[in-house]
Amino acid sequence: MSANAPRYPLVLVPGLLGFIRQLGYPYWYGIVSALRRHGATVFPVLVSSVNSSEVRGEQLLERIAEVRQQTGAAKVHLIGHSQGSLTARYAAAMRPEWVASVTSVAGPNQGSELADYLQGKAPHGSLRERLLAMVLRGIARCMALLETGYKGSRLPMDVAAAQQSLTSAGVAAFNAKYPQGLPATWGGEGAEEVAGVRYYSWSGTLQPGITDQGGNRFDGPNRACRIFARTFVREAGHCDGMVGRYSSHLGKVIGDSYPLDHFDIVNQTFGLVGKGADPVKLFVEHAQRLHAAGL
C-alpha cells in the first residue's frame, strides 16, 4: 500500500443493471486500475443488477464481510454509483462499525425524475409495465451470462422493486428509514459524519457545448442521457440525464456540476467522455482525500 493510499479498502458498488466485468470489459472503466496504481486496495463487487436497494444492501453486507475477512481490515470505504449509492447507504446504516465512509457518485438520493416519468407512463399492473419488466429482465439475464468478474451464486431479480426504489416516492420512504448524511434542506449539504461514518458525494450535469463534444460525439449512452433529460421538470437543465444535480447531494458535496453525464461519471463507454472531462481523476483525488482524513 502506498503512503498516500486510504487506510481501508475501497468497495465499488454498481448501479441498476450493474456488473463487474462483461466479457472482460469493466463497469469502472480505467478507475480500478488507476486507484490501484496509486496504492489503494480496491474491490469492485456485484449485487443484484435489478432489485430493491434494501435487497442489494443485504447482499453488499455479505460482500463487505468477505472483504474484511480477506484483508483483515476492520472497515471499508463504500463508493456507490447511481443506485449503488442507496445500496451503500443501507449497508452503512445497518453496520456502521464496518464502514469508514460512503461516497455517492451520481446517486439518486432524493429519487430520479426519469424513474417517476417511467412509472407514470407504465403504471403498476399495466401492459406497458409488463413489457418494460420483460425487457429489463431479458437484459439482466443476458448480462448475467456475460459476467466474468463474479463467481458466486445466482442473484435474484425484482424489476418492480427496482423501479419503485428509484422513484421520488420510493426514495422518500427509504430516506425516512435511513436518513444518514442527507441534507436538511433541498440543495444543501448533509452531515459529514454520522455514527462514525463519513459521507461524501459528487455528480455531473449535461452541459451543451461540453458534454456533447469530445468522445461523447461517438457515445450512444450520452445521446440516451440527452433524451432522458427531457423528462426532468424540477431539475430541468440541471441533471446528468438520469439523476438531478441537487437530488444527488449527500454529506459533503465535493461537486455537483462536473461536465459528465450519468455514464461518463464512471468513465463509460470505453472512456468516451465529454470535452476536457476526467472522471478517473475524481476517483484518484477522492482516494487521496480519504487518506488525508486518516481513513
Side-chain angles (χ1 to χ4, degrees), residues 16 60 96 100 112 129 133 149 159 163 181 228 237 245 260 267 275:
L16 183 74
L60 178 57
S112 167
E129 184 198 40
V159 174
Q163 181 179 356
F228 295 156
R245 173 182 182 179
L260 298 163
N267 206 35
K275 184 178 180 181

Side-chain angles (χ1 to χ4, degrees), residues 106-114 116 166 168 183 185-188 203-207 225-226 228-249 256-257:
N109 294 305
Q110 301 290 343
S112 167
E113 290 190 60
L114 174 61
D116 293 343
L166 296 170
S168 297
T185 58
W186 178 254
S203 59
T205 58
L206 293 169
Q207 299 175 28
C225 282
R226 283 184 266 160
F228 295 156
R230 298 172 189 171
T231 68
F232 281 69
V233 177
R234 186 178 191 183
E235 296 200 71
H238 295 280
C239 73
D240 65 5
M242 300 184 81
V243 172
R245 173 182 182 179
Y246 299 118
S247 178
S248 73
H249 285 196
D256 62 4
S257 59

Side-chain angles (χ1 to χ4, degrees), residues 60-213:
L60 178 57
L61 287 172
E62 294 177 8
R63 307 291 178 269
I64 295 170
E66 292 166 0
V67 169
R68 293 176 71 240
Q69 182 177 31
Q70 182 177 339
T71 63
K75 299 182 179 184
V76 299
H77 294 292
L78 299 177
I79 301 179
H81 172 235
S82 195
Q83 192 186 8
S85 168
L86 304 178
T87 307
R89 287 175 50 198
Y90 174 90
M94 293 296 100
R95 297 300 299 263
E97 71 276 16
W98 285 5
V99 180
S101 72
V102 169
T103 302
S104 168
V105 179
N109 294 305
Q110 301 290 343
S112 167
E113 290 190 60
L114 174 61
D116 293 343
Y117 174 84
L118 291 175
Q119 187 178 62
K121 291 296 182 180
H124 182 65
S126 68
L127 175 61
R128 286 183 178 178
E129 184 198 40
R130 291 195 293 273
L131 290 173
L132 177 61
M134 183 175 66
V135 169
L136 286 176
R137 277 196 299 270
I139 293 172
R141 285 170 179 163
C142 288
M143 293 177 69
L145 292 173
L146 299 174
E147 176 65 58
T148 58
Y150 173 74
K151 303 301 181 184
S153 59
R154 184 175 179 179
L155 297 169
M157 288 187 288
D158 188 330
V159 174
Q163 181 179 356
Q164 180 61 25
S165 285
L166 296 170
T167 63
S168 297
V171 176
F174 179 91
N175 287 346
K177 298 176 183 176
Y178 318 109
Q180 293 89 338
L182 288 172
T185 58
W186 178 254
E189 291 187 300
E192 292 186 36
E193 184 173 336
V194 181
V197 180
R198 302 284 184 95
Y199 288 86
Y200 304 90
S201 61
W202 74 78
S203 59
T205 58
L206 293 169
Q207 299 175 28
I210 301 178
T211 52
D212 57 0
Q213 296 298 311

Side-chain angles (χ1 to χ4, degrees), residues 265-285:
I265 209 156
V266 288
N267 206 35
Q268 296 290 337
T269 306
F270 293 99
L272 292 176
V273 299
K275 184 178 180 181
D278 190 353
V280 176
K281 183 180 179 182
L282 293 177
F283 284 84
V284 172
E285 289 178 342

Side-chain angles (χ1 to χ4, degrees), residues 18-27 142-144 146-149:
F19 53 91
I20 297 177
R21 289 191 302 274
Q22 292 281 294
L23 294 178
Y25 175 78
Y27 184 94
C142 288
M143 293 177 69
L146 299 174
E147 176 65 58
T148 58

Side-chain angles (χ1 to χ4, degrees), residues 27-49:
Y27 184 94
W28 308 88
Y29 187 81
I31 293 169
V32 173
S33 56
L35 288 169
R36 286 175 175 165
R37 283 197 302 273
H38 285 79
T41 301
V42 188
F43 293 88
V45 299
L46 187 67
V47 293
S48 287
S49 62

